């Protein structure tokens, strides 16, 4: 049995990098959601309405990106989708 250690190292590096990236994007989504909720609680009706919108947009885009990565991973794992 012969192991291709280079390929194993590449798979490990890519897996760690993608995991860290998804965690960071998810954390940014939580931050956007917190900004949105904070702006709503403060009653940002007058000047800060843009902050509320930006927080909601940030959260939506980040969570959508995380869902896309998860869906792509499931696509790669399940052979019936190919």
């Amino acid at each position: 049995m012969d192991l291709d250690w280079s390929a194993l190292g590449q798979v490990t590096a890519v897996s760690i990098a993608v995991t860290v990236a998804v965690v960071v994007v998810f954390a940014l989504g939580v931050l956007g959601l917190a900004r949105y909720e904070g702006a709503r609680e403060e009653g940002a009706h007058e000047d800060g309405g843009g902050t509320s919108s930006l927080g909601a947009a940030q959260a939506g885009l980040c969570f959508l990106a995380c869902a896309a990565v998860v869906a792509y991973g499931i696509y790669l794992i399940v052979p019936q989708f190919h």
Side-chain angles (χ1 to χ4, degrees):
M1 183 159 130
D2 187 31
L3 284 173
D4 187 0
W5 290 102
S6 172
L8 182 62
Q10 288 176 350
V11 169
T12 302
V14 169
S15 298
I16 290 172
V18 170
T19 300
V20 169
V22 169
V23 168
V24 168
V25 170
F26 188 82
L28 288 173
V30 171
L31 176 67
L33 194 59
R35 286 182 180 169
Y36 173 72
E37 290 295 325
R40 276 188 49 205
E41 286 179 5
E42 290 178 5
H45 300 295
E46 300 155 9
D47 295 335
T51 304
S52 176
S53 312
L54 285 175
Q58 176 184 348
L61 287 174
C62 289
F63 293 145
L64 185 64
C66 287
V69 170
V70 170
Y72 183 65
I74 292 172
Y75 169 78
L76 290 176
I77 291 172
V78 178
Q80 286 86 4
F81 293 152
H82 295 166

